[in-house]
């Protein structure tokens, strides 16, 4: 008699887990892309604002600690601050998201290789978020999506595939 009750409980649990997995799988990419865009933008924006708050210290860090090859500390500091204060705005707006993600991914690579290689657990998190945005785009809740719908409809893929949404027929 306990076998049917156990089997019934297992079926209920299995069906419940299946419903949860289907519900999670149905969450639109656009809703998942928003926190990715905001999270990675916040990291770089805060870094840029810190540089602006004390420019002398920022340049000194590039001279004494960061040692970015081929660039003077002043040029490296200006480039870093410029990227950190523009790319996050683009990500939040969902404007030129893929190029902004690519630039920040490049910056993350430079930071990992030349500045703080021991911070790879943090950098891999940034890289993961940026790779998703680079590969899947900003989602429908973005200026990119609106621009694509207006100007890019004639191109292959259309706005849905271009911004991470998969059409179902």
């Amino acid at each position: 008699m306990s076998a049917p009750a156990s089997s019934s409980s297992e079926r209920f649990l299995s069906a419940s887990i299946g419903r949860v997995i289907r519900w999670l799988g149905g969450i639109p990419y656009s809703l998942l892309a928003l926190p990715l865009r905001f999270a990675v933008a916040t990291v770089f924006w805060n870094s840029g604002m810190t540089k602006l708050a004390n420019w002398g210290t920022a340049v000194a860090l590039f001279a004494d600690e960061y040692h970015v090859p081929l660039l003077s500390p002043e040029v490296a500091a200006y480039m870093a601050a410029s990227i950190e204060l523009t790319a996050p705005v683009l990500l939040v707006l969902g404007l030129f998201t893929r190029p902004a993600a690519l630039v920040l991914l490049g910056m993350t690579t430079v930071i990992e290789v030349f500045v703080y290689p021991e911070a790879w657990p943090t950098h891999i998190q940034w890289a993961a978020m940026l790779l998703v945005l680079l590969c899947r785009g900003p989602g429908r809740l973005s200026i990119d999506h609106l621009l694509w719908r207006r100007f890019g409809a004639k191109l292959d893929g259309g706005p849905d595939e271009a911004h991470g949404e998969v059409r179902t027929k």
Side-chain angles (χ1 to χ4, degrees):
M1 267 213 167
S2 73
S6 174
S7 177
S8 174
S9 297
E10 289 173 8
R11 281 193 305 266
F12 174 76
L13 181 60
S14 177
S16 297
I17 291 171
R19 279 192 295 277
V20 169
I21 290 171
R22 281 189 301 281
W23 179 79
L24 290 171
I27 296 173
Y29 170 76
S30 292
L31 293 180
L32 302 174
L34 277 175
L36 288 176
R37 288 169 31 204
F38 291 1
V40 76
T42 300
V43 169
F44 286 95
W45 177 263
N46 289 343
S47 181
M49 292 302 289
T50 300
K51 285 176 182 63
L52 284 185
N54 194 336
W55 186 251
T57 301
V59 173
L61 279 171
F62 277 91
D64 301 333
E65 188 174 334
Y66 295 169
H67 304 294
V68 178
L70 306 176
L71 299 174
S72 71
E74 293 80 12
V75 170
Y78 275 111
M79 285 180 65
S82 297
I83 291 168
E84 290 170 339
L85 295 173
T86 55
V89 173
L90 295 174
L91 288 181
V92 167
L93 294 174
L95 177 62
F96 304 120
T97 304
R98 285 183 163 115
L102 183 62
V103 167
L104 290 175
L105 191 58
M107 187 172 190
T108 300
T109 303
V110 169
I111 294 167
E112 173 57 31
V113 172
F114 296 110
V115 181
Y116 292 124
E118 69 281 357
W120 66 267
T122 298
H123 300 151
I124 202 165
Q125 292 174 41
W126 300 350
M129 291 185 282
L130 291 165
L131 282 169
V132 171
L133 293 171
L134 179 64
C135 294
R136 296 286 306 274
R140 291 183 180 195
L141 302 174
S142 66
I143 295 173
D144 283 346
H145 180 72
L146 296 174
L147 291 173
W148 188 262
R149 288 183 63 93
R150 174 71 174 100
F151 300 109
K154 295 177 183 167
L155 300 175
D156 289 340
D160 295 331
E161 288 86 356
H163 295 95
E165 303 296 335
V166 178
R167 292 185 196 173
T168 55
K169 300 191 180 203

